[in-house]
Amino acid sequence: MSIRHIGPVNRRLNPSSVSPSMLLPGQPSGTWGAVSRFAVVRAEASQRVYGLHRSIPNRRLYTTCAPSSLRPTSALLFSSELRQQRLTIPSVMSRSNSTVASGVAPFPASEVAKCTALVALHARLELPAEYELTTLARALNSATSKLAGTFPDNSTLSELGNRLLDFYVSEFIVCSYPRLPMEIIKEARWAYCGDDALTSVGRSWGVEHERPRVVKTGKKVEIKKDQDLIDYFGVLKYGSLVFGRVGGLTEYVDRENEDGTKRAVQRYSTAMSDFVRSIIGGLYLHSGREAAKLFIFNHILSRKLDISKLFRFEQPTRELSRLCAREKLAQPISRMIAETGRSSMGAVYIVGVYSGSNLLGSGEGRSISEAETRAAIHALKAWYLYSPNSAPPSSTEETPEAEFQPLFIDPGQVIV
Amino acid sequence: MNVFRPILRPLRPMPFSLARASVCVPPTTTTFKRTIVYLDGLVEEDRATINQPSPEVLKLQEESEKYVDEAWNRLTGEHAATFSLPKDLLLQVFTHKSFRHGVLPYNERLAFYGRRLFSLQVACLVAAHKSDGPTSIAGRDVEALKSKTAQGLLHSRGSIFKIAKESGLLPIIRWAPAQKFDNLMEVNPRTTGLLEVGAQTVYASIGAVAMCHGGAKAEQFIKKVIMAGPFGVTNATE
C-alpha cells in the first residue's frame, strides 16, 4: 500500500504528535467526542434530496432506448404512405447559421406530430400534455444544424434551461453541504450538470443523433435533398466534426454549405447537453418552474454522486491544524490507538487525531505517517461534509408567506 | 515503566473517562514523558478556550460593523427594514477571501449562490416577455435572451459592479488588494481586481438575503433593489 496519493505529511508542525509507544485504551475508533461542531460523515447524505423524492411515486432511471415498438423502423419510414408525404427541405436550409434568422418559420405542428421518434420521446420522458411536440423538435435543432436557419434553434431554450439547471444543482450542493470547499462545489456541479453528465443523460433517453459522415477532400458533403424531413425532426441535429483523408493523414476537415461558406461545427457532447438543457427550458415555459424543478431532481440530481470521493488534500495535517486554530479548538495531536506487527513486514497502525480529549478522526496504515495522514483526512472530511437537514431557499417559491428557517452559513474553507 | 504498563493498556476495555482518570497521575510523582503528553493536550485545550480578542480588535470590529451597516442601508434604501441581516452575516458579505488570509468569515460561497440566483431571475424575467412571433413558445418569446442587455446581465459583472460603485460599497469592502490605491474611485477596476471583488459583494448580498430570508424574499430583493433600486439596473428586458 502506498500513501503517495494522499499527499505529503507535514510533521514539523506537530513534532510530538505521534509517539509509537503511547497507547490509548478503551476508545473505539471513529466515535466522536464533545466537539459538536464536527459531524460524522453520513454515507447516505449525498442521496438525500430535501425529501422531494419521496413525493414522487414512480421514479425511474431511464437507461434503455425506446421500446422497439415505439422506435421508427425503416419499414415505417419508407412505406409508400410516408414517402408521399415527404417534404422537400427548403433551399434556405443551407445558408450560413451565424446570424439570427429573420426568415425563421415555426415548426409545422401537423408534420411534427407524425414523427414517431418525437412522440416516443415525449412519452418516455413523461412530459406533461401541454409540452408541445414542436418544442421538443426545437430542442433537437442545434444552432449549428442544417435546419437552424429554417426553423427556430435551441440556443435560447438551452440558455434558459441552463440557468434553471445550474441554480437548482448549485443550491442542492451548497445547501446540502454548507461547508464544502469551492473546488469541490464546482467539481460536484460539473459531475451533476456538466456536458459529459448531461450527454450520458440524453443518451440514456434514447435520443439518436445525426451521424457524421466520412468525406473525401475536395468533395462537398453530400446531403440528400429528399431526406425525409419528418424523420429528420426526431434526431439531434448539429454540425458535427467530420474526418477526411488529407495527404495520407486522417484529419478533421471543414464542412461547407452549398454556397461555399464554412459550416459551424459543434462537439457531440455540447449538442447533446444543450438538448437536455433545452428540454428543461421548454418544461419551464410550458408547465412552470415547479415542474422544471421536479424534472431536474428526477433526472439529474437523482444520479448518485459520492462527494467524499472528490477530495484531494495537499497537506491534511497542516490544514487540520489551521482549522482547529480558526475554530479555537485545542491543537490537534495524533495518538496511537492500536498497532500490530511492528517488526514484521505487515505492520498495521491505527492512529487517532485528537483535539484535547476529543477524537476528531482515526485512520489506519502500514506506516505511522500513513495512518496519521489518513486520520487527518478523515477528520477534515467529517468537517467539510457536515450536512444539516434544512429546507433550501427555493422551497419558499411557492408559499412566500411561510416562515423560512435561516440556513447554516459557513465562514468558508480553511486556507493553508 | 512496567509499573505503568497495566494502567496504560488494560486487559479489558474500559470507558474512556475512567481510563483517562487512571492515567492522569499528578506530574510531580512521575518522571515518565508519556503522561506529560496527555497533560499537554489538556493545557492546550484550556488555553484555546480562554483566548479572548484584544480590545483593539474589538474596537476595529465595532467600527467595521458601523460602516457596513451604513453601506447596507444605502444600498437597500427604503427597503432596509425588509431585508435586514444579522451583524455577523453582514460583515461576512463585505469580507473578501483575501482579507486577513481568509481567517475571518468570507463571502465566496454566498456570492456563488447569489450569482446563480440572480442569473435565474434575469432569465425568468426575460422569458416572461409575451409574444406571438414564429419563435415564441407557449405565448412567450425566449429569443429576447439574445439581446445585448440580457447577455450583459447574464455573462458580465460590469452592471453589477456599477451598483457597488454607485452605492458606495467599494470603500467598505474588506479585502487585500495587490497594489495600494490612493483613490479607489479612479483605479481601473478590470486590471486591479476591483471589478471582481465589488461584483462579488453584490452577489453575496443576494445570496445572504436568500439564505437568511428564503428564496421568495431574495427574488423581491433582486427586483426591488438590484433591478429597480436607486442604484439598480433599471430594466432587464430593455
Side-chain angles (χ1 to χ4, degrees):
Chain A
M1 196 184 292
S2 158
I3 60 156
R4 255 175 298 166
H5 62 285
I6 306 173
V9 191
N10 191 328
R11 300 192 62 156
R12 261 191 306 173
L13 275 183
N14 286 328
S16 65
S17 54
V18 174
S19 96
S21 59
M22 190 172 63
L23 298 172
L24 186 86
Q27 181 81 341
S29 100
T31 53
W32 286 81
V35 188
S36 59
R37 274 176 287 180
F38 280 84
V40 181
V41 186
R42 292 182 209 159
E44 292 302 304
S46 60
Q47 283 185 318
R48 200 166 32 73
V49 190
Y50 311 144
L52 231 158
H53 274 149
R54 274 167 250 141
S55 61
I56 306 158
N58 275 329
R59 187 158 60 86
R60 320 182 216 144
L61 265 177
Y62 299 93
T63 50
T64 54
C65 285
S68 55
S69 59
L70 289 176
R71 248 182 277 164
T73 59
S74 55
L76 183 68
L77 281 180
F78 296 106
S79 66
S80 58
E81 208 176 305
L82 248 164
R83 209 176 295 151
Q84 281 168 9
Q85 292 171 349
R86 273 187 192 170
L87 309 171
T88 319
I89 305 172
S91 58
V92 203
M93 60 167 244
S94 58
R95 69 197 185 81
S96 170
N97 301 318
S98 56
T99 53
V100 182
S102 53
V104 168
F107 278 96
S110 59
E111 306 300 335
V112 165
K114 288 175 194 160
C115 180
T116 45
L118 281 181
V119 176
L121 184 63
H122 192 281
R124 208 179 309 142
L125 295 183
E126 294 177 348
L127 295 173
E130 63 264 23
Y131 198 108
E132 288 168 11
L133 283 176
T134 49
T135 314
L136 208 53
R138 181 171 174 175
L140 286 165
N141 192 21
S142 299
T144 53
S145 86
K146 282 186 281 181
L147 294 187
T150 321
F151 300 115
D153 60 48
N154 69 5
S155 55
T156 44
L157 257 189
S158 63
E159 169 97 51
L160 178 62
N162 187 27
R163 298 298 157 186
L164 286 156
L165 193 58
D166 197 8
F167 172 71
Y168 284 115
V169 168
S170 302
E171 181 182 75
F172 170 71
I173 299 167
V174 168
C175 297
S176 300
Y177 301 99
R179 276 180 183 153
L180 278 189
M182 262 329 266
E183 295 84 14
I184 311 291
I185 292 179
K186 285 176 180 168
E187 278 301 313
R189 192 175 122 241
W190 178 253
Y192 273 122
C193 65
D195 279 3
D196 295 345
L198 292 186
T199 303
S200 75
V201 169
R203 201 183 298 195
S204 74
W205 288 346
V207 176
E208 294 183 6
H209 64 96
E210 197 183 5
R211 299 282 165 192
R213 294 145 204 250
V214 177
V215 289
K216 287 177 183 169
T217 45
K219 237 184 163 184
K220 278 185 184 172
V221 181
E222 281 182 30
I223 303 162
K224 278 186 188 170
K225 276 253 171 179
D226 61 340
Q227 193 177 5
D228 191 352
L229 191 57
I230 295 176
D231 175 35
Y232 202 50
F233 284 146
V235 295
L236 175 65
K237 301 167 281 294
Y238 67 103
S240 54
L241 294 164
V242 288
F243 291 108
R245 295 290 287 179
V246 182
L249 296 170
T250 307
E251 287 183 354
Y252 284 129
V253 291
D254 289 331
R255 298 177 75 174
E256 290 180 351
N257 292 316
E258 283 177 356
D259 54 0
T261 53
K262 263 190 202 172
R263 266 188 74 178
V265 289
Q266 214 175 1
R267 280 182 183 280
Y268 166 64
S269 58
T270 320
M272 186 56 112
S273 54
D274 274 354
F275 156 72
V276 176
R277 293 183 184 110
S278 309
I279 292 283
I280 294 163
L283 202 57
Y284 169 78
L285 289 173
H286 283 297
S287 311
R289 195 194 277 195
E290 210 48 28
K293 180 179 176 183
L294 201 62
F295 190 87
I296 291 169
F297 274 95
N298 282 346
H299 289 269
I300 311 294
L301 288 173
S302 61
R303 292 156 70 86
K304 168 109 174 111
L305 172 69
D306 191 354
I307 292 185
S308 67
K309 293 263 169 68
L310 300 178
F311 284 88
R312 191 186 174 282
F313 295 101
E314 294 287 330
Q315 297 177 329
T317 44
R318 190 173 174 192
E319 191 168 341
L320 185 63
S321 180
R322 294 286 302 165
L323 174 66
C324 287
R326 193 187 75 177
E327 297 299 319
K328 295 199 168 43
L329 299 171
Q331 190 198 17
I333 291 174
S334 300
R335 290 175 187 151
M336 185 83 79
I337 293 174
E339 65 163 89
T340 181
R342 174 178 284 259
S343 54
S344 72
M345 275 179 70
V348 174
Y349 303 92
I350 298 178
V351 168
V353 60
Y354 291 79
S355 167
S357 54
N358 300 302
L359 177 61
L360 306 181
S362 66
E364 59 180 57
R366 286 292 180 91
S367 69
I368 294 170
S369 66
E370 180 186 347
E372 185 190 357
T373 310
R374 281 192 198 278
I377 286 175
H378 285 159
L380 282 172
K381 278 190 181 176
W383 171 266
Y384 284 132
L385 289 171
Y386 165 67
S387 179
N389 194 3
S390 46
S394 68
S395 63
T396 60
E397 280 165 6
E398 291 305 299
T399 52
E401 285 77 30
E403 197 181 335
F404 179 72
Q405 198 68 31
L407 290 174
F408 170 79
I409 297 172
D410 180 63
Q413 76 206 66
V414 186
I415 300 168
V416 179
Chain B
M1 175 114 178
N2 287 336
V3 180
F4 282 95
R5 195 76 185 167
I7 301 173
L8 291 173
R9 202 174 173 187
L11 293 173
R12 280 178 295 120
M14 63 165 78
F16 178 65
S17 54
L18 223 137
R20 207 176 78 182
S22 63
V23 170
C24 292
V25 286
T28 46
T29 61
T30 175
T31 52
F32 293 118
K33 271 194 167 180
R34 63 177 62 156
T35 51
I36 294 171
V37 174
Y38 279 100
L39 294 177
D40 268 359
L42 295 178
V43 169
E44 281 293 319
E45 192 174 27
D46 290 345
R47 199 183 294 154
T49 44
I50 58 164
N51 192 10
Q52 290 291 331
S54 64
E56 292 89 22
V57 173
L58 283 176
K59 196 185 163 196
L60 267 176
Q61 177 145 355
E62 262 178 35
E63 274 180 12
S64 24
E65 274 175 11
K66 197 182 79 186
Y67 289 138
V68 161
D69 217 31
E70 285 170 5
W72 186 254
N73 288 339
R74 250 193 330 273
L75 176 69
T76 48
E78 53 183 314
H79 306 292
T82 325
F83 303 117
S84 64
L85 294 177
K87 269 183 187 174
D88 47 348
L89 183 56
L90 210 48
L91 268 180
Q92 184 171 355
V93 166
F94 283 87
T95 308
H96 187 251
K97 190 179 181 179
S98 61
F99 185 67
R100 288 189 54 195
H101 202 61
V103 173
L104 298 177
Y106 54 84
N107 62 12
E108 192 185 25
R109 210 174 286 126
L110 291 172
F112 173 82
Y113 179 72
R115 177 155 198 191
R116 264 130 203 96
L117 183 57
F118 176 73
S119 299
L120 177 65
Q121 279 303 303
V122 171
C124 288
L125 277 177
V126 175
H129 186 62
K130 294 258 187 286
S131 162
D132 271 338
T135 53
S136 66
I137 295 176
R140 285 178 286 173
D141 195 5
V142 279
E143 292 299 312
L145 273 175
K146 279 184 180 164
S147 73
K148 208 178 166 189
T149 325
Q151 286 295 312
L153 283 175
L154 288 175
H155 294 291
S156 107
R157 295 182 178 83
S159 46
I160 291 297
F161 170 73
K162 226 174 121 197
I163 299 176
K165 188 175 183 183
E166 288 176 4
S167 56
L169 304 188
L170 295 185
I172 314 296
I173 299 172
R174 307 197 293 177
W175 65 302
Q179 325 157 12
K180 279 273 177 195
F181 305 135
D182 291 332
N183 187 354
L184 210 56
M185 292 295 165
E186 286 170 8
V187 298
N188 183 352
R190 287 188 190 276
T191 54
T192 49
L194 188 62
L195 182 87
E196 172 72 34
V197 171
Q200 196 167 344
T201 307
V202 179
Y203 285 131
S205 69
I206 298 171
V209 169
M211 294 213 172
C212 198
H213 297 295
K217 220 165 177 185
E219 284 176 21
Q220 295 295 314
F221 180 75
I222 292 173
K223 279 178 193 158
K224 289 180 180 167
V225 177
I226 306 293
M227 296 280 191
F231 309 102
V233 196
T234 45
N235 198 346
T237 53
E238 291 170 351

